[in-house]
């Protein structure tokens, strides 16, 4: 299951530095706009201690974590929706992503130029909101032009259903606000809009506040961070505080030294680990495991998926020939100590086609390719 989040923001807010730390790669990160010309893709592991525990228990030949893709997208400037700067490339790259990670600059530095010549998180968020909203408004107006006559004259069912949704979206987009903030729409209508309108501002969003290393340990005193936090809460979105400078340093350390460094910061996981987890949750994702002597592996699935669909994530033949799933929970094997003990305790279940998988399920799929 290939899922990706696009890292967006104004130029010089720390996007590429964050991307470098996330993927431990070395894309261009320079102190001028448009240092990133095309999206850079990085695949990162989803941190999950459960997989470490299972691996220690089964001692497999291979341990394979779940993964997540991040895109580092060129910095946006005013007028992007009209093609200014690298606007067209910027917008096209976002359309390919499942979610948006918006990096907001929350640090002062005379050494790093801000494209707007000052640090103002609220203004920066509003610039990106406006550009994405204007791009979406063009799409919505075009669709209204096609569906309005169908709904009014031909009483077309699809057009009649879409028109109230389109008008509600238009009302909020005209204010320069994201479509996800549209009022008066049911969850069913919003789901329909996400699946059928392909709007940028309907994609789920997560804010990353890039704070100075000196503010990281005392966020309550960081005015810029508090501004982003307030906006995120109003929009019912998450915000992850990160010091890209610190994260870059952590990423450059050997694994054994990272733990010691994190302890000095008073935490067990890096800001980047928190970001990956939050991005995972943002897309309503969960994890199931397959285990054995050959391999212990974490697999990503959407919450609500049934057992045959999850089997298909491993291989399409598993879904086509699905017979049943032998399932037990991670909690049960940890508490009982072994797979044999789980079986003897009657905790291993036989589940059929209607079973909805749960985060932390450990599963063995039985299938028949001749079915």
């Amino acid at each position: 299951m290939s899922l990706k989040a696009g890292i967006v923001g104004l130029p010089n807010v720390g996007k590429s530095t964050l991307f470098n730390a996330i993927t431990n790669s070395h894309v261009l990160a320079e102190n001028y706009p448009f240092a990133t010309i095309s999206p850079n893709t990085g695949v990162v592991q989803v941190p999950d201690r459960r997989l470490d525990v299972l691996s220690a228990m089964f001692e497999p030949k291979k341990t394979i974590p779940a993964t997540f893709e991040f895109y580092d997208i060129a910095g946006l400037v005013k007028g992007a929706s009209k093609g200014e700067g690298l606007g067209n490339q910027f917008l096209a790259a976002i359309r390919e992503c499942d979610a948006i990670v918006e990096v907001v600059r929350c640090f002062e530095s005379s050494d790093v130029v801000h494209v707007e010549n000052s640090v103002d998180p609220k203004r920066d968020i509003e610039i990106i909101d406006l550009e994405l909203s204007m791009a979406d408004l063009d799409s919505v107006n075009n669709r209204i032009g096609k569906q309005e006559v169908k709904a009014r004259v031909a009483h077309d069912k699809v057009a009649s259903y879409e028109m109230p949704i389109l008008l509600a979206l238009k009302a909020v987009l005209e204010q320069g606000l994201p479509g996800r903030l549209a009022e008066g729409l049911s969850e069913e209508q919003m789901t329909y809009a996400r699946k059928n309108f392909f709007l940028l501002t309907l994609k789920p969003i997560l804010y990353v506040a890039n704070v100075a290393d000196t503010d990281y340990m005392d966020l309550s005193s960081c005015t810029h961070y508090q501004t982003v936090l307030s906006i995120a809460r109003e929009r019912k979105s998450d915000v992850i505080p990160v010091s890209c400078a610190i994260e870059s340093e952590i990423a450059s350390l050997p694994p054994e030294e990272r733990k010691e460094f994190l302890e000095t910061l008073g935490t067990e996981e890096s800001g980047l680990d928190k970001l990956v987890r939050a991005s995972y949750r943002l897309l309503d994702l969960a994890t199931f495991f397959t285990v054995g002597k050959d391999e212990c592996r974490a697999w990503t699935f959407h919450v609500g998926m049934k057992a045959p669909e999850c089997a298909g994530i491993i291989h399409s033949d598993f879904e086509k020939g699905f017979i049943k799933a032998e399932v037990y929970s991670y909690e049960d094997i940890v508490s009982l100590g072994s797979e044999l003990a789980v079986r003897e305790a009657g905790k291993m279940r036989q589940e059929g086609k209607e079973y909805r998988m749960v985060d932390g399920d450990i599963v063995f799929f039985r299938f028949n390719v001749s079915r």
Side-chain angles (χ1 to χ4, degrees), residues 122-170:
K122 183 174 184 294
R123 177 207 59 212
D124 292 356
I125 290 173
E126 288 174 349
I127 288 174
I128 291 182
D129 282 348
L130 179 62
E131 297 304 330
L132 299 186
S133 297
M134 290 303 99
D136 279 350
L137 183 59
D138 285 342
S139 298
V140 166
N141 282 334
N142 288 336
R143 198 171 185 103
I144 288 174
K146 295 176 182 178
Q147 299 295 68
E148 193 274 335
V149 174
K150 289 182 181 179
R152 178 170 51 84
V153 178
H155 303 292
D156 181 87
K157 288 185 178 179
V158 173
S160 297
Y161 181 78
E162 287 189 0
M163 280 304 296
I165 305 174
L166 290 166
L167 292 174
L169 290 170
K170 178 178 180 178

